[in-house]
């Protein structure tokens, strides 16, 4: 029987970034799910603070070279890859000179959020999906971890819904305690409409605050896993009221097993 495939898209993964709640799950969860018998792929942004030489990143020429249009401008998509040998796991990195060369992640050296984080999230989401299509690798489940990954769900349900490779894919989202404080660019709605997302799906982001942005994401996913013990209260209430499958926070000892069972619910339902 063919192994089920799970695609992990993470905002942070250690050892490429410092250890945090999110980066440790980004590193350990894919390995744990692989050890449970599933096939995995893992993606993250290639932030400029990642040391390419130390971490042995190299460009995958056959996957690179496409241009993605964001806000009416062309941005070349560069794909890099590195291996975590101890886990027998490869990590794919989405890179672009305009969006990911700065020497930090989502905030500058003074802790101020970058004004183009919305466009960076758009580019990252589309870059992941385009690369998966080029790999001809059809995930049964996609698990997005951290707010920066959330637009993958929006694109999957609209722009890529008719792609045969992704048509049956279920998508799970994990919000964490890490929030952005300054609302995203007020033009985010227009930018998404330029990418074939219908206006009727974008009501939440007339004002793209952290909570409103996440409500948009929740509307487009098939299930939610609570990533941190404490997340935004208004967001958690919205998730529970949505009626979508919801897995509460799981501690370190058992989250791999619980997440695996959560994915299996979607796999069983799609097999019926």
């Amino acid at each position: 029987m063919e192994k089920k495939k799970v695609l992990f898209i993470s905002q942070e993964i250690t050892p490429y970034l410092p250890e945090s709640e999110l980066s440790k799950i980004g590193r350990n969860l894919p390995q744990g799910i692989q050890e449970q018998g599933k096939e995995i792929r893992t993606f993250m942004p290639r932030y400029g603070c990642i040391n390419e030489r130390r971490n042995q990143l190299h460009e995958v020429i056959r996957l690179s070279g496409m241009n993605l249009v964001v806000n009416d401008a062309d941005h070349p998509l560069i794909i890099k890859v590195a291996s975590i040998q101890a886990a027998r796991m490869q990590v794919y990195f989405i890179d672009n000179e305009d969006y990911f060369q700065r020497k930090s992640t989502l905030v500058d050296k003074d802790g101020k959020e970058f004004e183009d984080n919305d466009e960076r999230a758009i580019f990252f989401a589309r870059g992941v999906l385009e690369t998966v299509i080029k790999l001809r690798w059809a995930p049964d489940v996609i698990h997005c971890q951290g707010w920066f990954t959330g637009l993958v769900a929006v694109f999957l349900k609209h722009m890529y819904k008719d792609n045969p490779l992704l048509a049956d894919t279920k998508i799970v989202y994990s919000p964490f305690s890490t929030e952005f404080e300054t609302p995203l660019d007020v033009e985010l709605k227009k930018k998404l409409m330029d990418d074939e997302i219908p206006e009727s799906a974008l009501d939440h982001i007339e004002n793209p605050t952290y909570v409103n942005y996440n409500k948009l994401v929740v509307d487009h996913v098939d299930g939610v896993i609570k990533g941190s013990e404490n997340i935004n209260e208004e967001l958690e209430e919205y998730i529970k009221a949505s009626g979508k499958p919801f897995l509460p926070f799981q501690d370190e000892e058992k989250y791999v097993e619980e997440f695996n069972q959560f994915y299996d619910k979607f796999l069983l339902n799609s097999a019926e």
Side-chain angles (χ1 to χ4, degrees):
M1 187 171 150
E2 189 179 344
K3 285 184 178 182
K4 294 299 182 182
K5 300 180 177 73
V6 182
L7 171 63
F8 294 96
I9 307 173
S10 189
Q11 187 170 312
E12 302 174 16
I13 299 174
T14 189
Y16 307 109
L17 292 173
E19 282 199 1
S20 66
E21 180 180 46
L22 180 45
S23 72
K24 286 196 289 185
I25 289 180
R27 158 64 180 86
N28 296 322
L29 177 60
Q31 179 181 354
I33 296 301
Q34 183 170 254
E35 290 168 356
Q36 296 274 337
K38 291 181 171 63
E39 192 177 321
I40 60 112
R41 293 282 187 280
T42 307
F43 280 79
M44 72 172 289
R46 209 296 289 181
Y47 303 111
C49 54
I50 295 171
N51 188 308
E52 293 202 1
R53 183 175 296 177
R54 185 189 309 136
N55 292 296
Q56 299 183 310
L57 272 67
H58 61 271
E59 186 174 350
V60 187
I61 303 297
R62 69 186 177 89
L63 298 175
S64 298
M66 178 186 297
N67 274 6
L68 300 181
V69 178
V70 181
N71 198 23
D72 297 327
D74 276 349
H75 299 276
L77 174 62
I78 300 166
I79 308 300
K80 295 175 179 172
V81 71
S83 295
I84 300 177
Q85 299 293 348
R88 294 181 296 110
M89 178 174 119
Q90 282 191 321
V91 178
Y92 290 90
F93 296 82
I94 300 296
D95 198 2
N96 170 265
E97 193 168 317
D98 301 317
Y99 292 134
F100 294 110
Q101 290 297 311
R102 57 202 79 166
K103 296 295 183 184
S104 51
T105 54
L106 303 178
V107 297
D108 65 19
K109 64 183 189 320
D110 299 318
K112 186 174 183 293
E113 290 145 357
F114 291 117
E115 292 181 359
D116 63 350
N117 275 346
D118 65 318
E119 292 188 15
R120 299 170 84 207
I122 289 170
F123 182 88
F124 177 67
R126 288 191 52 205
V128 171
L129 293 171
E130 291 290 351
T131 304
V132 168
I133 291 166
K134 272 197 172 183
L135 286 167
R136 298 185 182 279
W137 193 79
D140 297 290
V141 174
I142 295 175
H143 188 173
C144 294
Q145 300 172 85
W147 75 262
F148 191 73
T149 69
L151 291 180
V152 171
V154 180
F155 285 114
L156 184 70
K157 299 296 185 181
H158 296 288
M159 192 176 190
Y160 294 87
K161 71 179 188 297
D162 296 323
N163 187 292
L165 205 73
L166 299 169
D168 298 322
T169 301
K170 301 299 181 185
I171 190 154
V172 174
Y173 176 55
S174 285
F176 283 75
S177 59
T178 312
E179 302 186 22
F180 56 82
E181 295 179 5
T182 305
L184 298 174
D185 186 3
V186 72
E187 294 292 312
L188 174 58
K189 179 177 178 180
K190 175 191 173 296
K191 294 170 191 175
L192 291 174
M193 287 171 63
D194 288 344
D195 279 335
E196 304 171 30
I197 313 299
E199 186 173 9
S200 59
L202 299 171
D203 289 343
H204 287 304
I205 56 168
E206 292 288 350
N207 178 21
T209 62
Y210 175 80
V211 171
N212 288 343
Y213 168 92
N214 275 278
K215 287 178 178 179
L216 169 71
V217 175
V218 169
D219 285 353
H220 287 86
V221 300
D222 299 293
V224 180
I225 295 174
K226 189 177 177 184
S228 298
E229 188 167 5
N230 297 301
I231 63 171
N232 183 284
E233 289 182 10
E234 183 182 348
L235 174 59
E236 185 165 2
E237 287 176 12
Y238 187 83
I239 293 165
K240 290 176 178 176
S242 74
K244 297 191 176 188
F246 175 63
L247 184 66
F249 177 74
Q250 304 294 314
D251 62 36
E252 204 168 333
E253 285 71 39
K254 62 180 184 179
Y255 75 75
V256 169
E257 187 177 330
E258 292 291 339
F259 287 18
N260 192 48
Q261 290 177 8
F262 193 75
Y263 305 151
D264 283 346
K265 289 178 186 175
F266 295 108
L267 300 175
L268 288 171
N269 288 342
S270 61
E272 287 174 0

